[in-house]
């Protein structure tokens, strides 16, 4: 086996032309010192690598989105769509904060974000690879290996969480080559401070999603609250704003074409090191199936909520999330059609295999094992997709979760399945609670019926072994909803903590269905454990070889994104999506007027249109553009999860918020094309202008430290 190799700084100059590619772990940044200097970043690389120092200490996660502190009183800025759940939670037909926006003029008026709105502050990252793998032995089955690794990870997490105010995790990097333990302070009392109207925050809606030019004011503000002792606490009126040690200064000085940016956040998932066979499986089967499934489910929700404003509000966040996933997946398909990434990977794979065959002391069986385990993974993934279709019901999913919790609770905590330990109870309760805002029985029933019909038509490869005979007939589904109480939040939560016998004694129709499906559900999980163990044995050996191969070429070596803190950098840059067309890098408020139709989703508020017409631009007017910029493009390397990420200038001041990518860039999850890959960011000047001129959020503006351009 190859000795694990990190990319030395001396080799980094060899890929200057590809410098914008890379979602770097903070500890790697000192190796990139010359690149950061070349781009124009003036913050010392060693400071960027230190999570306890500014600006990294101001970067936080929302558990799916990114954000940053912008005052010492726990004020957090993120995207409008990242706070959408909190906005929807407080919205009613009478006070529709989605449509009208919300502004708390005082802290007493701030609204609870709900149990699913959390702020995570990362304060410690340590390499624990040796401790995770110390008990792994040659000859173990896949399941034995996987469970050995899981046991070690649970122990490391339990050790880290001896302080109950922290949430710890041990994610894998390079597909299992390394493991890092990450400690985060988890703030549970998070409140909604300010969100613009949907006509600003979501201007263009799903039509403009992933498109450029873009004029979205995708921002909102939350506040983190803690107990009077400064420690995280359950939501309470007695809590006080969290005193954030560091926060970002907001710069209204702006950027121009070619200026450098630094971006920090929590990107979700990329697949840069996957094999050509995995790309073809996604392109030819998995993604088309996913698009068709999401669209069909969206159609059912639309039909079931039509004419029912209250139901539409309840499913607004669900609808928005599904639309976003669908458009991204369709964008991936279009990107694969536009550029044959599989063919590009074929060439790279052939080059790697040729190089690998020439190296001394290499395994003669590794590549064959690799191909075999990847094929098995793709086959099992088909069944897992089928299972997800067949269980498209929030009540059934809740019952399955409660059933597994009841069964796992009989075991010692350390032996329970991950996700069902004592540390997970608050998250389980939060998920069960969330249905209070996003569930209507008639809609859920319509979704379940339609999903069962779609499952029946899926290819045989997507049917789960032994599942079909256990599923209810379509005409039997309505009776399930008349014989269940899981739609009642209190009764749903009352099942948390029940032992297996008490749970099984319930005559609730969905509880009984979950119990009936349990053997098949667990069999699927057990097969996944066996396969994951084999993947965890083979893939790290492959990645170790890939890293050595890339190092020999002087190419960048960074792990795929895995929802952990990463830093990327780039420049403000236009791009050419096709011959004869150049786009960007800025849009302006005049573009809002041009797109305004008076109908959703291009229905700008009148007060915004009036301010544009009167050219009340003040100090937010860009001297080059002659108006207020709205959004801008950069070459920074981002993906899902980077929504809300702080976009900083060369000095580490907040100049934008990441919220999207261009449609042509979506395939960057698999392949980074420097010519056309562009991230879309909200220009902070537009945010400040709307706050000042349109929404009069003077109290929020006053709280931030804002650096305005020098008056001439």
């Amino acid at each position: 086996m190859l000795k694990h190799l990190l990319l030395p700084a001396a080799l980094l100059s060899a890929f200057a032309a590809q410098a914008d590619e890379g979602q770097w772990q903070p500890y790697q940044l000192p190796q990139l010192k010359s690149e950061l200097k070349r781009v124009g970043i003036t913050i010392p690389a060693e400071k960027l690598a230190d999570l306890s120092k500014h600006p990294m200490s101001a970067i936080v996660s929302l558990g799916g989105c990114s954000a940053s502190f912008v005052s010492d009183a726990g004020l957090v800025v993120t995207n409008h769509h990242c706070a959408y759940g909190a906005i929807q939670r407080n919205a009613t037909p009478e006070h529709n904060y989605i449509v009208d926006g919300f502004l708390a003029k005082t802290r007493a008026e701030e609204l609870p974000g709900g149990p699913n709105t959390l702020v995570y502050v990362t304060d410690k990252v340590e390499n624990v690879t040796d401790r995770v793998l110390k008990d792994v032995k040659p000859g173990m089955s896949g399941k034995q290996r996987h469970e050995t690794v899981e046991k070690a990870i649970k122990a490391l997490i339990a050790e880290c969480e001896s302080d109950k105010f922290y949430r710890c995790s041990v994610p894998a990097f390079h597909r299992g080559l390394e493991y890092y333990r990450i400690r985060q302070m988890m703030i549970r009392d998070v409140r909604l401070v300010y969100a613009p109207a949907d006509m600003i925050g979501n201007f263009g809606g799903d039509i403009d999603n992933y498109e450029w030019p873009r004029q979205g004011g995708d921002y909102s503000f939350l506040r983190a609250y803690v107990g009077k002792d400064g420690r995280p606490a359950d939501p309470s009126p007695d809590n006080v704003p969290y005193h954030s040690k560091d926060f970002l200064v907001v710069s209204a000085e702006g950027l121009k074409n070619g200026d450098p940016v630094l971006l920090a956040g929590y990107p979700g998932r990329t697949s840069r090191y996957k094999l050509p066979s995995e790309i073809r499986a996604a392109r030819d089967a998995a993604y088309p199936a996913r698009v068709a499934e999401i669209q069909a489910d969206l159609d059912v929700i639309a039909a079931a909520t039509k004419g029912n404003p209250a139901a539409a509000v309840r499913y607004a966040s669900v609808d928005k999330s599904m639309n976003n996933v669908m458009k991204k997946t369709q964008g991936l398909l279009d990107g694969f059609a536009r550029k044959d990434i599989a063919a590009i990977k074929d060439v790279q794979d052939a080059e790697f295999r040729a190089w690998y065959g020439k190296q001394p002391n290499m395994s003669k069986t590794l590549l064959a094992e690799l191909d075999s385990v990847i094929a098995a993974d793709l086959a099992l993934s088909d069944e897992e997709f089928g299972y997800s279709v067949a269980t498209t019901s929030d009540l059934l999913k809740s019952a399955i979760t409660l059933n597994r919790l009841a069964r796992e609770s009989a075991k010692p905590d350390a032996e329970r399945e991950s996700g069902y330990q004592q540390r997970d109870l608050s998250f389980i309760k939060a998920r069960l609670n969330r249905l209070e805002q996003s569930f209507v029985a008639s809609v859920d029933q319509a979704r379940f019926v339609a999903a069962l019909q779609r499952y029946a038509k899926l290819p045989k490869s997507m049917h789960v072994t032994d599942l079909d005979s256990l599923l209810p007939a379509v005409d039997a589904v309505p009776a399930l909803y008349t014989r269940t109480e899981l739609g009642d939040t209190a009764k749903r939560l009352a099942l948390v903590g029940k032992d297996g016998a008490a749970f099984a004694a319930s005559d609730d129709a969905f509880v009984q269905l979950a119990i009936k499906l349990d053997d098949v559900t667990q069999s699927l999980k057990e097969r996944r454990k066996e396969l994951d163990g084999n993947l965890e044995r083979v893939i790290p050996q492959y990645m170790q070889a890939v890293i050595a191969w890339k190092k020999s070429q002087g190419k960048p070596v960074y792990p795929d994104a895995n929802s952990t803190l990463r830093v990327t950098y780039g420049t403000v840059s236009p791009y050419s999506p096709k011959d004869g067309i150049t786009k960007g890098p800025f849009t302006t408020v005049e573009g809002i007027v041009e797109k305004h139709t008076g109908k959703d989703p291009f229905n700008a508020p009148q007060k915004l249109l009036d301010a544009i017409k009167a050219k009340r631009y003040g100090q937010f007017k860009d001297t080059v553009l002659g108006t207020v910029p709205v959004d801008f493009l950069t070459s920074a390397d981002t993906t899902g999860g980077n929504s809300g990420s702080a976009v900083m200038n060369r000095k580490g001041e907040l100049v934008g918020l990441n919220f999207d990518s261009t449609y042509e860039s979506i395939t960057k999850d698999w392949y980074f094309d420097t010519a056309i890959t562009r991230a879309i960011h909200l220009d902070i000047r537009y945010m400040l202008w709307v706050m000042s001129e349109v929404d009069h959020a003077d109290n929020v503006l006053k709280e931030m430290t804002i650096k305005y351009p020098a008056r001439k």
Side-chain angles (χ1 to χ4, degrees), residues 1-2 352-353 356 362-373 537-546:
M1 185 178 289
L2 288 169
F352 163 73
R353 291 177 188 243
Y356 184 83
M362 291 296 184
S363 167
K364 303 299 183 184
T365 61
L366 174 62
L367 297 182
E369 289 180 78
L370 174 70
D371 293 335
S372 176
V373 75
R537 174 177 54 83
V538 175
I539 297 289
Q541 297 177 60
Y542 166 68
M543 283 306 304
Q544 196 167 38
V546 168

Side-chain angles (χ1 to χ4, degrees), residues 13 18 35 99 118 128 140 147 180 277 289 298 315 318-319 346 352 366 384 386 401 435-436 524 551 569 623 660 699:
S13 59
Q18 301 179 6
E35 277 302 294
V99 173
L118 305 165
V128 292
M140 281 182 163
E147 290 182 340
Y180 283 79
S277 60
L298 281 169
Y315 280 86
V318 174
D319 189 276
D346 279 336
F352 163 73
L366 174 62
E384 289 167 335
T401 296
L435 292 189
E436 183 78 24
L524 195 61
K551 179 198 167 185
Y569 51 91
T623 55
D660 209 350
N699 56 311

Side-chain angles (χ1 to χ4, degrees), residues 59-103:
I59 307 301
V60 299
S61 169
L62 302 180
C65 279
S66 304
S68 51
F69 287 122
V70 285
S71 88
D72 64 356
L75 187 66
V76 171
V77 67
T78 188
N79 286 159
H80 181 268
H81 76 263
C82 292
Y84 205 79
I87 301 168
Q88 182 209 9
R89 182 182 191 275
N90 291 285
T92 65
E94 296 77 27
H95 299 285
N96 195 331
Y97 299 130
I98 296 174
V99 173
D100 303 326
F102 171 77
L103 172 63

Side-chain angles (χ1 to χ4, degrees), residues 589-605:
V589 291
E590 277 69 26
I592 297 172
V593 177
E594 291 172 5
K595 284 187 177 180
H596 173 72
T597 62
K599 296 180 181 179
D600 189 61
F602 298 106
N603 184 23

